Amino acid sequence: MKLLDELKYVESHEWVKVEENKARMGISDYAQEHLGEVVFVELPEVGATVAAGDQIIVLESVKAASDVYAPVSGTVVEINEELLDNPGLINESAYDAWIAVIEMSDASEVDKLLSASDYEKVCE
Amino acid sequence: MKRTPLYEKHVEQNGKLIDFGGWELPVEYSKITEEHEAVRNAAGLFDVSHMGEVTVEGEDAEKFIQYVVTNDISYLNDYQIAYTTMCYPDGGVVDDLLVYRVNKKKYLLVINASNTDKDYEWFKSNVFGDVKIENVSDSYAQLAIQGPNAEKILQKITTTNLNEIEFYNFAENVTLGDLNAIVSRTGYTGEDGFEIYLPSQDGPKLWDLLLSEGKDLGILPAALGARDTLRFETCLPLYGHEIDKDITPLEAGLGFFVKLAKEDFIGKEVLAKQKEEGVKRRVVGFEMVDRGIPRSHYEVSADGKIIGHVTTGSYAPTLNKNLGLALVDVEYAKEGSEFDIIIRNKNVKAKVIKKPFYSKKYKK
C-alpha cells in the first residue's frame, strides 16, 4: 500500500491535503485496493455544508456501494467532475484522484487527523 | 466456514476470500471485469465445488423426480440434462437445479450450495416408492471451464471427442489427463463451456492442468464476482434474487420450465391457476436512464407508489451499462415502461428493456 507523508489521513480511509484554509480530499490507496474497481461515483454538491464524519460521497465497485466521509467540517467548494466519466482514476492513482475540496470552518480539526505513519497502523 | 477442495489454490492465486453462504470462496483473483472479459473472449476457470450433488436411484426414480420438479424430465434420454425449478405447494421456489439422467433408474441432481441441506430434506420428505436418495456433495469437486476457448483447452487433455457432447448433454468416465470425470456441456455464463465433476481430491490437480494447458488460449481463474456479472448479463436467475420461496417460476419468467401438461407435481395446482389468471408481477430487465447503480432489494416506484423491488443490479462489464432485474407489477412490465429506482432515498429513472441483456453464445 502506498502512503504519502505530506498527507493527513482519517481512520475511515480518506486522505486530506491541507491547502491553507481548504482541505482537498480523496480515498487512500489502501481503501481503493479493498474496494476493487470503482465503476460509479456520487459526488456532493458544491456549496453543501458538511460536518466532519458526515457521509458525503458514495463510491461503487462492481459488487457494492461504499460511503466516504467528510474528514473536516466546512463547505464543499470544488468537486472532481472528471470522476463521473472516469471513476477508474481512483484505482489508477488514489492520491491524484482527489474527489472534493472543503473550505474548513474550523481549522483546528486538522490537528485531529492522522499522520501517514499513524494511519499505517490503522491499516495493519 | 466450509472450504472446497480447491481452497489452497484460491490462496495460491491471491483470491480475495469472502463468506459466501457459509463457504470461504474468492470473490475475485485479479479484477472482476478482467475475469469477466476473459470468459466472454477466451476462457475462465471457476471452482464451483460448493454446488450440491444428490443422487436419485431406484425403480421409481423418474416418477419421483417428475413429482418434485416443474419441468418434464420424461423426455430425457440417457446422458441428457434438464434445467428445472422445484416448488412448494404454494408455487414458491424451493430451488432451481439440473437433472442429469444416467439412465431411467439413476439420476444426478445438481443444486445450489446454500440450499443443499434444505433441498436434501425436501427430497427425503417427499420420497415414495423404490427410490434411494443420497447427498454426495462432499464427494465431488466441480470445476467450470467457460468461454469460446473452453472446448479447445479441455480437448488438449482428453481423447474423448468433446464436439460430440452437445449442449445440455454429458459423458461419464471421461479421462482428463490421468483423472476420471463427468463432463457436461453446461454453464452459468452465457458462453459455451463445460462443467466437470470429479472426486474431491482430484480437483486441485485438474485446476492446475487446465490453467497451464489454457495459458496460450487466454484462460484466467475466475471467481464469484465474475460468475455473478456473467450470469446477470445473460439474465440467468439466481436463487434468493429472481427466484425465492415467495416468487413463483411463472413470475420469474421461467414458465418454459413449468410443464403443466404433465401429471401431478408439487405446486401444480397453484401454478396452473396463476397461469390461467395471469401473473400479477413479473421479473423484468431494466436500464438506468439517469446516473446510478441499482442493487438488490432497492425499491422500485412509479405513480407515487412502490411497485416492486430490484432482484439483481450491477454495472454490466460487457455492455458497459448500469442494468438491473426487478420484480414489478405487471402493468409496468412492458418494454419501454418507465419507473424509478430508489437509490439512497432518491428517485432515479430507469426503463424496461429486453432480456437477456447479452445474447447467449451456446453451441447447439
Side-chain angles (χ1 to χ4, degrees), chain A residues 39-41 43 80-89, chain B residues 291 320:
Chain A
V39 293
F40 185 83
V41 179
L43 297 170
N80 188 355
E81 290 187 6
E82 205 187 339
L83 296 175
L84 296 177
D85 292 328
N86 207 348
L89 292 173
Chain B
R291 293 185 74 252
N320 191 24

Side-chain angles (χ1 to χ4, degrees), chain B residues 290-306:
Chain B
D290 292 336
R291 293 185 74 252
I293 301 185
R295 302 283 183 189
S296 299
H297 308 304
Y298 283 5
E299 289 181 316
V300 181
S301 143
D303 301 322
K305 58 179 196 285
I306 300 301

Side-chain angles (χ1 to χ4, degrees), chain A residues 1 3 13 30 34 116-124:
Chain A
M1 121 177 115
L3 286 165
H13 305 292
Y30 176 89
H34 279 253
S117 60
D118 286 342
Y119 174 66
E120 192 172 13
K121 286 176 202 141
V122 172
C123 298
E124 272 164 11

Side-chain angles (χ1 to χ4, degrees), chain B residues 130-149:
Chain B
D130 174 30
V131 175
K132 193 174 148 241
I133 305 165
E134 201 181 345
N135 180 356
V136 294
S137 303
D138 293 339
S139 317
Y140 284 107
Q142 189 191 342
L143 302 187
I145 181 169
Q146 300 279 300
N149 292 345

